Amino acid sequence: QKDLLIHQGSRGTSHITSSYKGRPDDRGLIGDVPVLRVSRRGAEAVHFVRTALEPGAQVLLSLDWERRFDHMQQHSGQHLITAIADLMFGFKTTSWELGRQRSVIELDTPSMTAEQIEALERSVNEKIRERVPVTVRELAADDPEVETVRSRGLPDDHTGPVRVVSIEGIDSNMCCGTHVSNLSDLQVIKLLGTEKGKKNKTNLVFLAGNRVLKSIEQSHSTEKALTSLLKNGPGEHVEAVKRLQSSVKLLQKMGFLPLPEVTFYPYRKEGDSEFMNIIANEIGTEETLLFLTVGDEKEAGLFLLAGPVEAVENLGPRVAELLGGKGAGKRGRFQGKATKMSQRGEVQALLQEFISRQSPEV
């Protein structure tokens, strides 16, 4: 069905808010109809839905609160980082992006030192612990106070009052976004470092709130998996990988063709495709044929075969067939869904046979 436009509210203030300047829109339901996207057209918030709604009908708007609260944490976190970076170092924010996994603030400076990043992170988290209030006000467009607040300018089609978001004693900023009511709701902010920006600017990467917790959980899962694969503690992972790399280089110098090694990651019920790809990325698969599985031990699950491109192209479809599943691959990765996870032993035998056939004659 074609998407239909449903006009709701004014100035983007409907219960399900629209996207604007780096901030994603909300999701939710109008009655039992999912909202696919929300955008602003002048003074109206336009909701895109798949099914027509009856004009004049009373409906219950249901908000995807987890998504909304995540955006609130990242957006208020951006306001705080922007304000403190300006106060401490005079670094102005020229733009920002709220991404799905991490957010980026573009600062008008060619670089930031590690000491500046550390000091900025320490300062913003001090403000969070101080439980500083965040307030929202609406001012008339001709109110003199409008000229005193931080702003990147109003859109040309703006009408009505001006919305100002203030972090008490720290910052006042024109903003139409959703925010927390107290900095304590941010929980914590982690600055992940900087990347080179455009035109002599610096991109500062950060996580706020629940994203920090999710990142720690993901890192811990990867650490546990590497501990199992490398047979050593987390503090020794880097050295273990360096030793493996050195061994490969030595073999190459001696004129031997380094054989692909087959690494099997034990069955893991919890996990997803992203988890398996993280493991593959950490281990490196240029010289290693890696077979990973997650899901039900006997029935349905997911699998990943990673390694030298030619080997994976040859073996991937056969692995999928053995597991009663389907998959696809590119650039040394073949992954998909399986219905016969009990056949993992047969896959192991297939891969070991392949490796034995590649062994050079002495």
Side-chain angles (χ1 to χ4, degrees):
Q1 291 179 311
K2 292 184 178 179
D3 292 344
L4 303 173
L5 301 185
I6 307 297
H7 294 273
Q8 179 81 22
S10 63
R11 298 192 305 278
T13 58
S14 62
H15 185 64
I16 304 176
T17 61
S18 61
S19 59
Y20 185 64
K21 285 191 177 180
R23 174 179 51 80
D25 53 348
D26 281 329
R27 294 291 188 272
L29 299 172
I30 300 178
D32 59 356
V33 178
V35 175
L36 305 175
R37 183 167 62 88
V38 188
S39 63
R40 187 185 66 84
R41 289 187 181 176
E44 294 183 309
V46 182
H47 295 56
F48 290 74
V49 295
R50 290 193 181 278
T51 305
L53 300 175
E54 182 181 350
Q58 290 189 350
V59 293
L60 177 66
L61 295 182
S62 303
L63 180 69
D64 181 344
W65 175 251
E66 183 177 353
R67 176 184 170 94
R68 161 72 75 84
F69 187 62
D70 172 55
H71 294 168
M72 291 164 60
Q73 287 186 318
Q74 309 317 308
H75 201 165
S76 296
Q78 176 265 314
H79 277 220
L80 178 61
I81 296 169
T82 287
I84 299 299
D86 192 5
L87 289 170
M88 291 182 69
F89 309 116
F91 297 160
K92 305 292 184 183
T93 291
T94 49
S95 68
W96 86 290
E97 178 184 6
L98 200 169
R100 291 185 178 182
Q101 296 182 330
R102 63 178 198 166
S103 297
V104 179
I105 299 173
E106 183 186 71
L107 296 173
D108 193 9
T109 177
S111 64
M112 285 186 73
T113 66
E115 292 75 18
Q116 287 173 326
I117 295 172
E118 181 181 354
L120 178 58
E121 180 178 280
R122 184 167 55 248
S123 181
V124 296
N125 282 293
E126 285 174 357
K127 298 302 180 184
I128 292 172
R129 291 192 295 273
E130 290 172 7
R131 300 176 55 83
V132 178
V134 180
T135 58
V136 177
R137 295 175 298 146
E138 288 190 348
L139 303 177
D142 59 355
D143 190 317
E145 188 178 348
V146 171
E147 300 299 323
T148 67
V149 301
R150 184 166 55 86
S151 171
R152 291 172 57 197
L154 292 169
D156 295 336
D157 59 354
H158 173 80
T159 59
V162 175
R163 192 166 180 269
V164 176
V165 177
S166 298
I167 304 175
E168 188 176 285
I170 299 174
D171 182 53
S172 287
N173 182 25
M174 288 186 197
C175 184
C176 65
T178 54
H179 289 270
V180 300
S181 59
N182 192 289
L183 290 186
S184 63
D185 289 332
L186 299 183
Q187 300 168 272
V188 65
I189 285 176
K190 179 60 185 175
L191 303 183
L192 299 179
T194 59
E195 299 171 350
K196 185 177 180 181
K198 58 185 180 181
K199 296 180 180 179
N200 225 24
K201 295 179 182 178
T202 296
N203 293 332
L204 178 64
V205 185
F206 76 94
L207 304 174
N210 289 333
R211 291 194 182 190
V212 178
L213 302 180
K214 290 179 181 178
S215 178
I216 293 173
E217 181 181 0
Q218 187 179 70
S219 296
H220 181 61
S221 295
T222 302
E223 185 178 274
K224 287 175 63 179
L226 286 173
T227 296
S228 175
L229 289 167
L230 299 174
K231 309 301 182 185
N232 58 19
E236 301 170 308
H237 288 171
V238 173
E239 289 303 318
V241 172
K242 286 181 178 179
R243 287 195 298 271
L244 287 173
Q245 290 175 330
S246 297
S247 297
V248 170
K249 290 179 181 178
L250 179 61
L251 285 171
Q252 290 173 333
K253 281 186 176 181
M254 295 174 64
F256 291 103
L257 176 65
L259 297 176
E261 176 187 350
V262 183
T263 301
F264 296 95
Y265 183 69
Y267 156 73
R268 180 185 176 95
K269 187 172 183 179
E270 301 81 11
D272 53 20
S273 295
E274 183 179 4
F275 169 80
M276 293 190 293
N277 277 292
I278 289 172
I279 299 299
N281 291 338
E282 291 291 338
I283 293 175
T285 54
E286 291 183 2
E287 305 297 339
T288 301
L289 196 57
L290 182 68
F291 177 56
L292 305 175
T293 58
V294 296
D296 192 292
E297 187 173 8
K298 300 294 184 181
E299 298 179 1
L302 304 174
F303 71 90
L304 169 67
L305 180 68
V309 174
E310 187 174 344
V312 172
E313 287 179 350
N314 179 16
L315 295 168
R318 297 165 66 187
V319 170
E321 183 179 359
L322 283 174
L323 295 175
K326 295 181 180 180
K330 60 181 179 179
R331 295 193 293 274
R333 299 279 174 95
F334 191 99
Q335 56 189 327
K337 296 181 179 180
T339 60
K340 299 177 181 178
M341 294 289 278
S342 58
Q343 297 284 97
R344 286 179 293 125
E346 283 74 2
V347 173
Q348 180 173 344
L350 169 68
L351 300 182
Q352 288 177 332
E353 180 186 357
F354 173 82
I355 293 300
S356 65
R357 292 203 307 268
Q358 307 303 308
S359 301
E361 296 181 1
V362 179

